[in-house]
Amino acid sequence: MSLVQHVSAIDGIDRELEPDLVDDCDFVPIRRKISYDVIQPPSDAIPVAETRPGTPAYKHSTTKRIAQVAVTVIACWSASGIVFGFAALKPVLVEEGVYHERCTPAEKVEGLELCAQQDLGLNLFFTIASITANVSALPVGTVLDRCGSRICWFIACLLLAIGAVIMAFAFHEPGFDGYIAGNFFLALAGTFLFVPSFQIANAFPKYAGSIVALVTGAFDASAAVFLFYRLVYEKSGRSFTPDKFFLGYLIVPVCIFIALVTIMPVRDYVSTLNLQSKLEKAEDATRDVHDSDDEIESTSELNRVRKRRAERRKKKLRQIDAVLGDRDERQMRAEREEDRQQTSWVWGVLHGLPAHKQMATPWFILITLMTVLQMIRMNYFIATIRSQYEYMLESIEEANKIGAFFDVALPVGGVLFTPVIGFLLDRLSVPTMLGLIVLFTTVIGVLNSIPAVWAGYMTVLLFVLLRPLYYSAMSDYTTKVFGFATFGRVYGAIICLSGIANFSQYGLDALTHHTFDGNPIPINVVLAIAGFIVGTSLVIFVFVSVRQLREKGRVDEEERERLLLEEDEEEDEYEDDGSYL
């Protein structure tokens, strides 16, 4: 699956050194907007995304903003992650004979529905799309921060149309092998569509978390697009062929384009950080007085001018309060954010450090290794679920039933589990969350190696819950440990390395078919053991580091109290000696 599609927050607080102080213990909280920009110089204090002009949410009506959120969710559901519905589409590809020409003459005579070389080709079809979705996050994020979401959506419409046309032509003309190219464009379009979609959360800053969850859920649900098509394909007696489907799918980029030029905002909504700056200005009553007031001779006219200024300022204050929340609501959000920071145990560990130094620590190395392994495991499972259980259960019928259950559970599980993920991230410490993930992955690895029907269903059930949990937790870990200032470079590196490592999936498929004669258990066992070792190492490292940091903090606090006590005693001595007389 794709890492970039599960971001837990669009802005937050970084813990950074106070520039005017030299004491390493002097930190100040700085609110930052999340950024995927990987080429911005580290010395730039203000992210490029914050320098672009934007639209305050109060400039548009509530009804229009609701419509924009609805359009964003529908667009993401229909196009952002359809390539991850590969498991549901694969039976259609097999039925249509895609890559069947790669089978040997003996296999064709034998009447094999799916031969080894054909299976490898189909799985590569998915692997390339998965890698594209991850690696493309780097350039897409940079384009977003520098050009805005509108440009990204225009590009997404074009790429969706290109991908759909290529796929339709490939299915219509058997001699044209455009399947991988078409899927590549669909995956790239999904990233261009999805990454900018988080910006719509600024339309309702008070409910930004809920909107982020809706958009994330829409991405998970988009895997069902190919499932719905397969159901129609089977219901029509295979007459609604893929070329017809992909030609019809052109309506999606067309509708998105129409919405883009009619309903969606021309400029992105400004962030909470920007609104808070406007709020501070609106609360400043001294802004009602201008230097030019000295040119107004009439006192009554001067009072009228200042009164109009005050009315405009107070009107803007009410508008900002309506979208950002009044003072009590803002205070409650700030307290919740502080509670989350304290609950995490690791907030601010590496905040303020340059990205290259952050990436040289075990905090980065271990989470990257763990993510690489989990991505390989998850994508290998998605691509081979039917063939795995066909071998382990020695039953095509049972394998198809488990595969059908997976096709439905994958999108539904992500949608239903999203609120629970938010609850867990807010209330569990990062070490506890990592421990829970290691437990999940280990149990899944064990169950996925048991040749039993009940184990297959349990594997699917736990898998569809783990997938969104894992990627959301990784985004959360990155912001809490490394901070928002370096998010683009650090998280981008994790995404890129994980995507590149996914090329190994083709090798795993080849091992399964040729070395192990179709038996997936050795691969599953090795991946489970490797994931357990790396995951356990990460959990132990984080627990030990947290204890050391807490101990250091306790010692520093005791030293600070001792110094303060000595200063008080010295002042008392000076007073007793009459030093201040």
Side-chain angles (χ1 to χ4, degrees):
M1 299 304 290
S2 176
L3 284 171
V4 75
Q5 274 78 11
H6 290 82
V7 174
S8 57
I10 58 173
D11 63 14
I13 304 295
D14 275 1
R15 177 175 178 263
E16 298 196 359
L17 285 170
E18 170 61 55
D20 299 329
L21 300 174
V22 295
D23 186 351
D24 288 344
C25 295
D26 294 317
F27 291 88
V28 291
I30 299 177
R31 176 166 287 277
R32 294 188 183 278
K33 180 181 178 180
I34 201 169
S35 171
Y36 288 102
D37 194 344
V38 296
I39 64 175
Q40 177 173 321
S43 58
D44 288 1
I46 302 176
V48 172
E50 287 294 341
T51 63
R52 285 188 294 102
T55 303
Y58 56 79
K59 292 289 187 179
H60 290 166
S61 68
T62 301
T63 302
K64 186 171 185 178
R65 284 182 283 131
I66 290 175
Q68 291 168 346
V69 172
V71 167
T72 301
V73 172
I74 294 172
C76 289
W77 175 83
S78 61
S80 63
I82 61 170
V83 295
F84 294 105
F86 170 74
L89 181 66
K90 190 174 182 179
V92 177
L93 301 179
V94 173
E95 184 72 25
E96 291 294 314
V98 176
Y99 297 139
H100 189 64
E101 70 277 2
R102 299 185 181 183
C103 298
T104 64
E107 289 173 329
K108 292 179 180 178
V109 171
E110 188 180 347
L112 284 179
E113 186 181 31
L114 178 64
C115 66
Q117 289 301 319
Q118 180 185 12
D119 195 30
L120 288 173
L122 293 175
N123 292 344
L124 182 63
F125 166 87
F126 168 68
T127 300
I128 296 298
S130 176
I131 293 170
T132 302
N134 281 285
V135 177
S136 64
L138 299 179
V140 171
T142 302
V143 172
L144 168 63
D145 283 359
R146 294 174 180 271
C147 302
S149 59
R150 186 177 177 86
I151 296 299
C152 289
W153 271 39
F154 276 127
I155 296 173
C157 290
L158 177 62
L159 293 174
L160 273 177
I162 293 173
V165 169
I166 291 176
M167 290 291 282
F169 191 71
F171 280 105
H172 189 265
E173 298 292 334
F176 175 67
D177 184 5
Y179 305 110
I180 290 179
N183 214 30
F184 165 83
F185 281 107
L186 293 178
L188 186 58
T191 306
F192 265 105
L193 179 70
F194 191 84
V195 175
S197 296
F198 287 120
Q199 304 300 313
I200 202 64
N202 288 320
F204 295 92
K206 288 193 293 185
Y207 309 106
S210 299
I211 295 174
V212 168
L214 275 174
V215 175
T216 301
F219 165 78
D220 292 321
S222 66
V225 170
F226 284 153
L227 169 62
F228 292 146
Y229 165 61
R230 196 194 77 206
L231 295 175
V232 173
Y233 173 79
E234 293 173 349
K235 194 72 174 177
S236 67
R238 283 118 176 114
S239 62
F240 187 46
T241 52
D243 58 321
K244 296 177 182 176
F245 166 74
F246 282 106
L247 279 178
Y249 188 76
L250 286 171
I251 193 67
V252 173
V254 170
C255 289
I256 294 174
F257 180 85
I258 293 173
L260 193 56
V261 297
T262 57
I263 299 175
M264 301 305 290
V266 175
R267 297 186 300 187
D268 290 333
Y269 288 114
V270 298
S271 66
T272 300
L273 177 64
N274 192 295
L275 283 177
Q276 287 178 336
S277 176
K278 291 180 181 293
L279 180 66
E280 292 171 1
K281 293 179 181 178
E283 289 177 335
D284 185 4
T286 62
R287 297 175 65 85
D288 298 338
V289 180
H290 294 184
D291 293 338
S292 60
D293 291 350
D294 294 336
E295 301 174 4
I296 302 176
E297 298 179 356
S298 170
T299 302
S300 60
E301 178 63 20
L302 178 61
N303 291 335
R304 282 195 297 272
V305 170
R306 289 180 174 174
K307 183 179 180 181
R308 285 197 297 270
R309 292 173 185 160
E311 289 173 351
R312 287 196 298 268
R313 178 178 59 79
K314 292 176 181 177
K315 179 182 178 182
K316 179 174 287 189
L317 185 60
R318 290 192 297 270
Q319 291 174 326
I320 296 175
D321 279 343
V323 298
L324 197 58
D326 58 26
R327 189 181 300 275
D328 291 338
E329 289 177 301
R330 295 195 298 271
Q331 180 63 30
M332 287 178 61
R333 287 203 300 272
E335 290 175 355
R336 285 199 299 268
E337 180 66 22
E338 187 175 346
D339 289 341
R340 290 182 71 249
Q341 294 166 4
Q342 294 176 351
T343 301
S344 73
W345 293 9
V346 301
W347 178 76
V349 169
L350 299 179
H351 289 194
L353 288 179
H356 69 277
K357 290 186 177 180
Q358 292 177 335
M359 288 188 281
T361 64
W363 293 93
F364 174 83
I365 295 171
L366 289 174
I367 196 65
T368 301
L369 288 174
M370 183 176 176
T371 303
V372 165
L373 286 170
Q374 296 311 319
M375 278 203 63
I376 292 172
R377 284 187 63 187
M378 291 182 182
N379 288 332
Y380 176 72
F381 183 77
I382 291 174
T384 63
I385 179 172
R386 282 180 169 81
S387 59
Q388 281 197 41
Y389 285 104
E390 182 178 336
Y391 180 91
M392 288 193 289
L393 302 179
E394 298 180 348
S395 171
I396 296 178
E397 182 181 355
E398 290 294 342
N400 286 335
K401 288 181 180 179
I402 292 176
F405 176 64
F406 176 76
D407 295 340
V408 176
L410 182 66
V412 173
V415 173
L416 296 182
F417 200 46
T418 295
V420 180
I421 292 173
F423 178 85
L424 293 176
L425 292 177
D426 287 345
R427 287 162 177 79
L428 295 182
S429 68
V430 169
T432 303
M433 176 61 72
L434 292 174
L436 178 63
I437 288 174
V438 172
L439 177 63
F440 252 91
T441 57
T442 304
V443 172
I444 289 174
V446 172
L447 290 174
N448 194 206
S449 302
I450 299 176
V453 174
W454 65 269
Y457 283 104
M458 286 299 300
T459 300
V460 169
L461 186 61
L462 293 178
F463 178 91
V464 300
L465 298 180
L466 170 67
R467 183 183 62 92
L469 173 65
Y470 183 84
Y471 291 130
S472 296
M474 292 309 99
S475 168
D476 186 67
Y477 173 96
T478 305
T479 56
K480 287 174 179 175
V481 173
F482 304 107
F484 286 82
T486 57
F487 184 90
R489 289 175 288 280
V490 175
Y491 197 61
I494 296 174
I495 291 173
C496 187
L497 291 172
S498 300
I500 294 173
N502 245 345
F503 276 113
S504 64
Q505 184 184 324
Y506 187 79
L508 296 180
D509 286 338
L511 279 174
T512 303
H513 282 290
H514 302 307
T515 304
F516 302 120
D517 295 324
N519 184 2
I521 294 178
I523 300 294
N524 291 337
V525 170
V526 170
L527 289 176
I529 293 174
F532 175 78
I533 293 173
V534 173
T536 302
S537 300
L538 175 62
V539 173
I540 292 173
F541 168 77
V542 172
F543 266 113
V544 171
S545 298
V546 166
R547 290 188 62 180
Q548 291 175 344
L549 289 169
R550 287 189 166 187
E551 180 63 22
K552 182 179 182 298
R554 185 185 64 79
V555 172
D556 290 343
E557 184 64 28
E558 290 177 355
E559 179 67 16
R560 190 178 294 109
E561 290 179 358
R562 186 184 65 80
L563 292 174
L564 290 173
L565 183 60
E566 289 178 357
E567 291 178 1
D568 292 340
E569 291 175 350
E570 290 177 0
E571 290 180 1
D572 291 340
E573 289 177 3
Y574 284 139
E575 291 176 355
D576 292 340
D577 293 341
S579 300
Y580 296 122
L581 297 178

